[in-house]
Amino acid sequence: MGKSVIIINGPNLNLLGTREPEIYGRTTLADIEALARDHGRRLGVDVSFVQSNLEGELVDAIQKARGVHDGIILNAAAYTHTSVALMDALKATGVPAVEVHLSNIFSREPFRHHSYISPVAIGVICGFGAKGYVLALDALVATFD
Ligand code: DQA
């Protein structure tokens, strides 16, 4: 059976392309999905893609990953810095996760320096824009045996 990865995106990432392009670039979420699916094909991994602005829907997506996907790539966006619920969902499901941010959260406002996701993630990729999702796929797939 081939491996499967789900890429989960949080609030406001549906606006990528027009949202603060000086920070997040001009690549749209649809472009990122196409990049990730192409890269998944190269790696021989099935890639699913979801986005929600709602914290509970993100919790549901993480819970549903158990037994279906072999790994999660999560850009929880602003919920990264606030959501115990997302951290608990990742812990509860136990599906290995890589945390992604387009921007380098550590070179930005201090409130972005803390992540509830990092302690329960395998690792973090931030600051490389849309390419970060491709790097995260490589990093995640490298952990599969
Ligand atoms: C983000 C960084 C977060 O601090 C911010 O709230 C986002 C996007 C990123 O991808 O750089 O919405 O996760």
Side-chain angles (χ1 to χ4, degrees):
M1 263 275 283
K3 299 282 187 184
S4 164
V5 170
I6 184 162
I7 301 179
I8 302 174
N9 286 287
N12 301 306
L13 295 173
N14 55 313
L15 300 180
L16 285 177
T18 56
R19 173 193 182 198
E20 300 179 272
E22 64 290 354
I23 297 176
Y24 298 114
R26 297 212 176 266
T27 309
T28 66
L29 197 62
D31 294 335
I32 290 174
E33 178 171 357
L35 278 173
R37 287 190 190 280
D38 277 357
H39 198 60
R41 267 190 288 277
R42 276 193 288 276
L43 296 173
V45 166
D46 183 66
V47 173
S48 302
F49 205 87
V50 294
Q51 187 275 333
S52 176
N53 293 322
L54 306 181
E55 187 175 14
E57 286 189 1
L58 297 168
V59 169
D60 284 345
I62 293 168
Q63 288 186 7
K64 285 186 197 143
R66 177 153 59 183
V68 176
H69 300 290
D70 301 289
I72 295 172
I73 293 171
L74 175 62
N75 184 348
Y79 290 136
T80 304
H81 317 298
T82 63
S83 182
V84 175
L86 290 179
M87 177 182 72
D88 283 352
L90 286 170
K91 266 206 268 193
T93 53
V95 179
V98 175
E99 175 181 357
V100 169
H101 302 283
L102 294 132
S103 63
N104 179 355
I105 55 174
F106 300 103
S107 66
R108 300 182 63 195
E109 305 94 318
F111 69 84
R112 295 186 204 274
H113 298 181
H114 177 263
S115 166
Y116 281 99
I117 308 303
S118 301
V120 293
I122 308 171
V124 183
I125 292 171
C126 74
F128 296 98
K131 192 114 203 279
Y133 289 85
V134 169
L135 297 171
L137 262 175
D138 281 334
L140 186 57
V141 168
T143 70
F144 296 160
D145 35 50

PDB file of all heavy atoms in Angstrom, residues 4-5 8 12 15-16 23 26 30 38 42 48 50 54 69-70 92 121 123 131 137 145:
ATOM      1  N   SER A   4       0.312   7.837   2.429  1.00  0.00           N
ATOM      2  CA  SER A   4      -0.605   8.955   2.217  1.00  0.00           C
ATOM      3  C   SER A   4      -0.339  10.065   3.236  1.00  0.00           C
ATOM      4  O   SER A   4      -0.135   9.797   4.424  1.00  0.00           O
ATOM      5  CB  SER A   4      -2.027   8.416   2.358  1.00  0.00           C
ATOM      6  OG  SER A   4      -2.930   9.458   2.525  1.00  0.00           O
ATOM      7  N   VAL A   5      -0.342  11.291   2.735  1.00  0.00           N
ATOM      8  CA  VAL A   5      -0.077  12.455   3.589  1.00  0.00           C
ATOM      9  C   VAL A   5      -1.221  13.441   3.425  1.00  0.00           C
ATOM     10  O   VAL A   5      -1.725  13.635   2.313  1.00  0.00           O
ATOM     11  CB  VAL A   5       1.255  13.128   3.152  1.00  0.00           C
ATOM     12  CG1 VAL A   5       1.444  14.472   3.830  1.00  0.00           C
ATOM     13  CG2 VAL A   5       2.444  12.213   3.446  1.00  0.00           C
ATOM     14  N   ILE A   8      -2.772  20.142   6.002  1.00  0.00           N
ATOM     15  CA  ILE A   8      -3.874  20.854   6.652  1.00  0.00           C
ATOM     16  C   ILE A   8      -3.473  22.317   6.840  1.00  0.00           C
ATOM     17  O   ILE A   8      -2.420  22.605   7.424  1.00  0.00           O
ATOM     18  CB  ILE A   8      -4.207  20.207   8.015  1.00  0.00           C
ATOM     19  CG1 ILE A   8      -4.575  18.731   7.830  1.00  0.00           C
ATOM     20  CG2 ILE A   8      -5.317  20.969   8.714  1.00  0.00           C
ATOM     21  CD1 ILE A   8      -4.791  17.966   9.154  1.00  0.00           C
ATOM     22  N   ASN A  12      -7.122  31.973   7.206  1.00  0.00           N
ATOM     23  CA  ASN A  12      -6.640  33.054   6.328  1.00  0.00           C
ATOM     24  C   ASN A  12      -5.682  32.573   5.239  1.00  0.00           C
ATOM     25  O   ASN A  12      -5.326  33.365   4.367  1.00  0.00           O
ATOM     26  CB  ASN A  12      -5.996  34.198   7.141  1.00  0.00           C
ATOM     27  CG  ASN A  12      -6.966  34.796   8.131  1.00  0.00           C
ATOM     28  OD1 ASN A  12      -8.063  35.199   7.738  1.00  0.00           O
ATOM     29  ND2 ASN A  12      -6.618  34.824   9.407  1.00  0.00           N
ATOM     30  N   LEU A  15      -6.531  33.005   1.628  1.00  0.00           N
ATOM     31  CA  LEU A  15      -6.328  34.313   0.992  1.00  0.00           C
ATOM     32  C   LEU A  15      -4.924  34.475   0.411  1.00  0.00           C
ATOM     33  O   LEU A  15      -4.573  35.553  -0.087  1.00  0.00           O
ATOM     34  CB  LEU A  15      -6.584  35.438   2.012  1.00  0.00           C
ATOM     35  CG  LEU A  15      -7.990  35.474   2.631  1.00  0.00           C
ATOM     36  CD1 LEU A  15      -8.091  36.632   3.621  1.00  0.00           C
ATOM     37  CD2 LEU A  15      -9.046  35.602   1.550  1.00  0.00           C
ATOM     38  N   LEU A  16      -4.118  33.426   0.500  1.00  0.00           N
ATOM     39  CA  LEU A  16      -2.741  33.531  -0.025  1.00  0.00           C
ATOM     40  C   LEU A  16      -2.773  33.971  -1.487  1.00  0.00           C
ATOM     41  O   LEU A  16      -3.617  33.525  -2.269  1.00  0.00           O
ATOM     42  CB  LEU A  16      -2.008  32.190   0.088  1.00  0.00           C
ATOM     43  CG  LEU A  16      -1.531  31.797   1.490  1.00  0.00           C
ATOM     44  CD1 LEU A  16      -0.899  30.407   1.445  1.00  0.00           C
ATOM     45  CD2 LEU A  16      -0.553  32.818   2.060  1.00  0.00           C
ATOM     46  N   ILE A  23       4.870  39.559   2.940  1.00  0.00           N
ATOM     47  CA  ILE A  23       5.215  38.546   3.963  1.00  0.00           C
ATOM     48  C   ILE A  23       5.025  37.133   3.404  1.00  0.00           C
ATOM     49  O   ILE A  23       5.892  36.270   3.577  1.00  0.00           O
ATOM     50  CB  ILE A  23       4.344  38.713   5.227  1.00  0.00           C
ATOM     51  CG1 ILE A  23       4.615  40.069   5.882  1.00  0.00           C
ATOM     52  CG2 ILE A  23       4.603  37.562   6.227  1.00  0.00           C
ATOM     53  CD1 ILE A  23       3.729  40.365   7.076  1.00  0.00           C
ATOM     54  N   ARG A  26       3.207  35.697  -3.408  1.00  0.00           N
ATOM     55  CA  ARG A  26       2.059  35.833  -4.321  1.00  0.00           C
ATOM     56  C   ARG A  26       1.510  34.478  -4.762  1.00  0.00           C
ATOM     57  O   ARG A  26       0.603  34.391  -5.583  1.00  0.00           O
ATOM     58  CB  ARG A  26       2.443  36.670  -5.542  1.00  0.00           C
ATOM     59  CG  ARG A  26       2.819  38.090  -5.187  1.00  0.00           C
ATOM     60  CD  ARG A  26       2.456  39.095  -6.276  1.00  0.00           C
ATOM     61  NE  ARG A  26       2.750  40.455  -5.831  1.00  0.00           N
ATOM     62  CZ  ARG A  26       1.856  41.256  -5.265  1.00  0.00           C
ATOM     63  NH1 ARG A  26       0.607  40.852  -5.101  1.00  0.00           N
ATOM     64  NH2 ARG A  26       2.202  42.467  -4.853  1.00  0.00           N
ATOM     65  N   ALA A  30      -4.108  27.386  -4.047  1.00  0.00           N
ATOM     66  CA  ALA A  30      -4.316  26.415  -5.152  1.00  0.00           C
ATOM     67  C   ALA A  30      -2.974  26.078  -5.805  1.00  0.00           C
ATOM     68  O   ALA A  30      -2.722  24.915  -6.158  1.00  0.00           O
ATOM     69  CB  ALA A  30      -5.296  26.982  -6.185  1.00  0.00           C
ATOM     70  N   ASP A  38       2.106  17.515  -7.178  1.00  0.00           N
ATOM     71  CA  ASP A  38       3.154  17.133  -8.140  1.00  0.00           C
ATOM     72  C   ASP A  38       4.317  16.466  -7.415  1.00  0.00           C
ATOM     73  O   ASP A  38       4.822  15.433  -7.848  1.00  0.00           O
ATOM     74  CB  ASP A  38       3.722  18.378  -8.847  1.00  0.00           C
ATOM     75  CG  ASP A  38       2.851  18.795 -10.005  1.00  0.00           C
ATOM     76  OD1 ASP A  38       1.853  18.101 -10.282  1.00  0.00           O
ATOM     77  OD2 ASP A  38       3.172  19.837 -10.623  1.00  0.00           O
ATOM     78  N   ARG A  42       5.974  12.621  -7.518  1.00  0.00           N
ATOM     79  CA  ARG A  42       7.401  12.287  -7.704  1.00  0.00           C
ATOM     80  C   ARG A  42       7.891  11.336  -6.613  1.00  0.00           C
ATOM     81  O   ARG A  42       8.708  10.459  -6.844  1.00  0.00           O
ATOM     82  CB  ARG A  42       8.267  13.560  -7.681  1.00  0.00           C
ATOM     83  CG  ARG A  42       8.332  14.271  -9.025  1.00  0.00           C
ATOM     84  CD  ARG A  42       9.433  15.318  -9.045  1.00  0.00           C
ATOM     85  NE  ARG A  42       9.112  16.484  -8.241  1.00  0.00           N
ATOM     86  CZ  ARG A  42       8.387  17.513  -8.663  1.00  0.00           C
ATOM     87  NH1 ARG A  42       7.937  17.542  -9.890  1.00  0.00           N
ATOM     88  NH2 ARG A  42       8.118  18.524  -7.854  1.00  0.00           N
ATOM     89  N   SER A  48      -3.367  14.584   0.160  1.00  0.00           N
ATOM     90  CA  SER A  48      -4.672  15.226   0.325  1.00  0.00           C
ATOM     91  C   SER A  48      -4.438  16.637   0.857  1.00  0.00           C
ATOM     92  O   SER A  48      -3.396  16.911   1.471  1.00  0.00           O
ATOM     93  CB  SER A  48      -5.539  14.476   1.331  1.00  0.00           C
ATOM     94  OG  SER A  48      -5.718  13.150   0.939  1.00  0.00           O
ATOM     95  N   VAL A  50      -6.434  20.122   2.708  1.00  0.00           N
ATOM     96  CA  VAL A  50      -7.627  20.782   3.258  1.00  0.00           C
ATOM     97  C   VAL A  50      -7.253  22.135   3.842  1.00  0.00           C
ATOM     98  O   VAL A  50      -6.115  22.339   4.275  1.00  0.00           O
ATOM     99  CB  VAL A  50      -8.344  19.955   4.356  1.00  0.00           C
ATOM    100  CG1 VAL A  50      -8.936  18.691   3.799  1.00  0.00           C
ATOM    101  CG2 VAL A  50      -7.436  19.654   5.519  1.00  0.00           C
ATOM    102  N   LEU A  54     -11.833  27.462  10.616  1.00  0.00           N
ATOM    103  CA  LEU A  54     -12.471  27.108  11.883  1.00  0.00           C
ATOM    104  C   LEU A  54     -11.617  26.126  12.674  1.00  0.00           C
ATOM    105  O   LEU A  54     -11.268  25.051  12.175  1.00  0.00           O
ATOM    106  CB  LEU A  54     -13.847  26.492  11.635  1.00  0.00           C
ATOM    107  CG  LEU A  54     -14.811  27.327  10.779  1.00  0.00           C
ATOM    108  CD1 LEU A  54     -16.136  26.614  10.621  1.00  0.00           C
ATOM    109  CD2 LEU A  54     -15.022  28.705  11.417  1.00  0.00           C
ATOM    110  N   HIS A  69      -4.159   8.406   7.054  1.00  0.00           N
ATOM    111  CA  HIS A  69      -2.935   9.024   6.516  1.00  0.00           C
ATOM    112  C   HIS A  69      -1.739   8.616   7.369  1.00  0.00           C
ATOM    113  O   HIS A  69      -1.863   8.388   8.577  1.00  0.00           O
ATOM    114  CB  HIS A  69      -3.077  10.544   6.493  1.00  0.00           C
ATOM    115  CG  HIS A  69      -4.230  11.018   5.650  1.00  0.00           C
ATOM    116  ND1 HIS A  69      -4.221  10.916   4.276  1.00  0.00           N
ATOM    117  CD2 HIS A  69      -5.422  11.557   5.992  1.00  0.00           C
ATOM    118  CE1 HIS A  69      -5.370  11.387   3.806  1.00  0.00           C
ATOM    119  NE2 HIS A  69      -6.126  11.779   4.831  1.00  0.00           N
ATOM    120  N   ASP A  70      -0.574   8.570   6.703  1.00  0.00           N
ATOM    121  CA  ASP A  70       0.659   8.181   7.407  1.00  0.00           C
ATOM    122  C   ASP A  70       1.371   9.382   8.010  1.00  0.00           C
ATOM    123  O   ASP A  70       2.293   9.215   8.809  1.00  0.00           O
ATOM    124  CB  ASP A  70       1.599   7.467   6.425  1.00  0.00           C
ATOM    125  CG  ASP A  70       0.918   6.226   5.851  1.00  0.00           C
ATOM    126  OD1 ASP A  70       0.749   5.262   6.618  1.00  0.00           O
ATOM    127  OD2 ASP A  70       0.509   6.245   4.670  1.00  0.00           O
ATOM    128  N   ALA A  92      -3.334  13.179  20.570  1.00  0.00           N
ATOM    129  CA  ALA A  92      -4.328  12.106  20.697  1.00  0.00           C
ATOM    130  C   ALA A  92      -4.280  11.160  19.505  1.00  0.00           C
ATOM    131  O   ALA A  92      -4.437   9.949  19.671  1.00  0.00           O
ATOM    132  CB  ALA A  92      -5.729  12.707  20.826  1.00  0.00           C
ATOM    133  N   ALA A 121       5.296  18.132  17.187  1.00  0.00           N
ATOM    134  CA  ALA A 121       5.651  17.892  15.780  1.00  0.00           C
ATOM    135  C   ALA A 121       6.987  17.167  15.710  1.00  0.00           C
ATOM    136  O   ALA A 121       7.801  17.249  16.631  1.00  0.00           O
ATOM    137  CB  ALA A 121       5.744  19.213  15.026  1.00  0.00           C
ATOM    138  N   GLY A 123       9.146  18.006  13.434  1.00  0.00           N
ATOM    139  CA  GLY A 123      10.040  19.122  13.157  1.00  0.00           C
ATOM    140  C   GLY A 123       9.273  20.276  12.552  1.00  0.00           C
ATOM    141  O   GLY A 123       8.064  20.164  12.301  1.00  0.00           O
ATOM    142  N   LYS A 131       7.619  26.980  -0.951  1.00  0.00           N
ATOM    143  CA  LYS A 131       8.555  25.849  -1.071  1.00  0.00           C
ATOM    144  C   LYS A 131       8.608  25.010   0.217  1.00  0.00           C
ATOM    145  O   LYS A 131       8.964  23.825   0.199  1.00  0.00           O
ATOM    146  CB  LYS A 131       9.939  26.437  -1.390  1.00  0.00           C
ATOM    147  CG  LYS A 131      10.946  25.444  -1.812  1.00  0.00           C
ATOM    148  CD  LYS A 131      11.402  25.622  -3.252  1.00  0.00           C
ATOM    149  CE  LYS A 131      11.954  24.320  -3.781  1.00  0.00           C
ATOM    150  NZ  LYS A 131      13.331  24.065  -3.378  1.00  0.00           N
ATOM    151  N   LEU A 137       7.269  17.820   2.758  1.00  0.00           N
ATOM    152  CA  LEU A 137       6.954  16.492   2.194  1.00  0.00           C
ATOM    153  C   LEU A 137       8.204  15.625   2.162  1.00  0.00           C
ATOM    154  O   LEU A 137       8.178  14.455   2.571  1.00  0.00           O
ATOM    155  CB  LEU A 137       6.406  16.645   0.773  1.00  0.00           C
ATOM    156  CG  LEU A 137       4.906  16.611   0.582  1.00  0.00           C
ATOM    157  CD1 LEU A 137       4.569  16.893  -0.882  1.00  0.00           C
ATOM    158  CD2 LEU A 137       4.312  15.259   0.989  1.00  0.00           C
ATOM    159  N   ASP A 145       9.288   4.217   6.617  1.00  0.00           N
ATOM    160  CA  ASP A 145      10.187   3.131   6.233  1.00  0.00           C
ATOM    161  C   ASP A 145       9.542   2.216   5.211  1.00  0.00           C
ATOM    162  O   ASP A 145       8.477   2.462   4.714  1.00  0.00           O
ATOM    163  CB  ASP A 145      10.643   2.309   7.441  1.00  0.00           C
ATOM    164  CG  ASP A 145       9.557   2.188   8.482  1.00  0.00           C
ATOM    165  OD1 ASP A 145       8.437   1.825   8.112  1.00  0.00           O
ATOM    166  OD2 ASP A 145       9.827   2.480   9.669  1.00  0.00           O
TER     167      ASP A 145
END
